[in-house]
Structure formats: C-alpha cells, structure tokens
Amino acid sequence: MITPEYCRVMSRYNAWQNNAIWQVVDAMDPAELDRDRGAFFGSIRATLNHLLWGDQLWISRFDGGQGPTCDAKDHVNLTANISDWWAARFRTDGRIKAWAADVSAIDLVGELSWFAVTANREIHKPVGQCVTHFFNHQTHHRGQVHAMLTAAGVSTDDTDLVLMPVD
C-alpha cells in the first residue's frame, strides 16, 4: 500500500508545514489563538493541540515509545501556550522523522493492534492503513488551522506538497 519513501516524504512535509504554522502563530495574540472560531475543536490552539496529541499517540504505536502526557478527554489542552506547543511539536516532528528514516518495507505490512480508550475496545488494522491515516490526519487538521488563520487575516507560505523545498 505504501513505501518507506512515502513515510519519509510525508514526515518532511509534516515538519515543513508545522514550521510554517509556527512562523505565524508565534506572532499572534494568545487570545486570538484561543478564540472559538466555530471549528470542530473550537480554536486554533485547541486544534493544534489535538493534532499534536494525535501525532504523539500514533507515533507511540509505530515506534513503541511514550505516548501523549494527558488523557484523551484533556487533549485539546495538551499544552498551555503556543511556546509550549512549539517545543513539543518540534520534538514530536523530530521523532516522526527519525521513525520514517528507519522504517523498512516489512515494518509497513501486517496488522497493528491497540486498545482505543475513546472507543473502549481493541482495534486491529493493517499497518499501512494506519500510517496513511496518520499522515492524512495531519493534513486534514492543518487544513482546518489554515482556514482559521485565513479567517483571522493571517496567511502562511505555500502548503502544496509539490512545492515543498528539496532537502
């Protein structure tokens, strides 16, 4: 379904886009970041926290490391401010890139199993589907953040994968 190269490209894209978001949200008033904008998670910061929490959860399933430091019910408050978010985001993106750098084709086949607290049940899915979901989830919620930033009168640089700078 997917390849190690797909994982590497998408991990670079994830970090590139999160850095672009950081460049604009760092300069924003904290009240604007916490303002309810009618999105699924309400505010820009809550959506960024949801995405960070989800990334920490998924990468822990892939690399066997530590998961998020808060419960699912509190995940939109994972970090208290945008500086804390960026520090955690930067570390998490590094972890994702390290996993992608080392992933092999055999790591992307078979089944992944976990207990989903939010669904209160054991789930079993193909690893490739889970990795695809992981990267798709990132893109989906960053799209929500971009829409909220645009509505707030702020814009970021390019978001198209094909415009990502070459390393």
Side-chain angles (χ1 to χ4, degrees):
M1 179 177 194
I2 60 171
T3 66
E5 184 57 24
Y6 167 82
C7 297
R8 293 183 205 26
V9 168
M10 293 306 292
S11 69
R12 283 184 42 241
Y13 177 69
N14 172 62
W16 175 56
Q17 286 302 294
N18 288 330
N19 185 63
I21 288 171
W22 165 246
Q23 299 303 314
V24 297
V25 298
D26 183 44
M28 290 179 70
D29 183 295
E32 284 299 303
L33 294 171
D34 289 331
R35 184 173 151 219
D36 189 334
R37 298 183 181 279
F40 190 83
F41 295 104
S43 71
I44 292 168
R45 190 175 65 85
T47 304
L48 290 172
N49 274 333
H50 167 75
L51 181 50
L52 176 60
W53 184 87
D55 282 356
Q56 290 174 346
L57 183 63
W58 278 106
I59 197 63
S60 73
R61 291 173 180 159
F62 300 145
D63 72 6
Q66 181 178 343
T69 57
C70 73
D71 291 335
K73 63 181 176 8
D74 298 323
H75 80 284
V76 295
N77 296 308
L78 179 62
T79 61
N81 58 58
I82 208 65
S83 294
D84 290 347
W85 169 81
W86 177 242
R89 179 78 264 172
F90 185 80
R91 285 190 304 274
T92 302
D93 288 350
R95 183 175 168 189
I96 294 167
K97 287 168 69 173
W99 168 80
D102 290 339
V103 76
S104 67
I106 197 71
D107 296 326
L108 300 172
V109 297
E111 189 172 81
L112 184 66
S113 300
W114 69 95
F115 184 81
V117 174
T118 55
N120 195 33
R121 66 183 173 97
E122 187 80 16
I123 297 180
H124 310 274
K125 294 290 178 184
V127 174
Q129 183 182 35
C130 293
V131 173
T132 301
H133 167 76
F134 173 58
F135 290 121
N136 187 62
H137 183 259
Q138 295 168 345
T139 303
H140 167 71
H141 286 298
R142 272 196 308 269
Q144 291 176 323
V145 170
H146 281 280
M148 288 185 278
L149 289 171
T150 300
V154 179
S155 64
T156 66
D157 289 336
D158 294 319
T159 60
D160 291 339
L161 176 63
V162 296
L163 298 177
M164 179 173 61
V166 177
D167 278 347

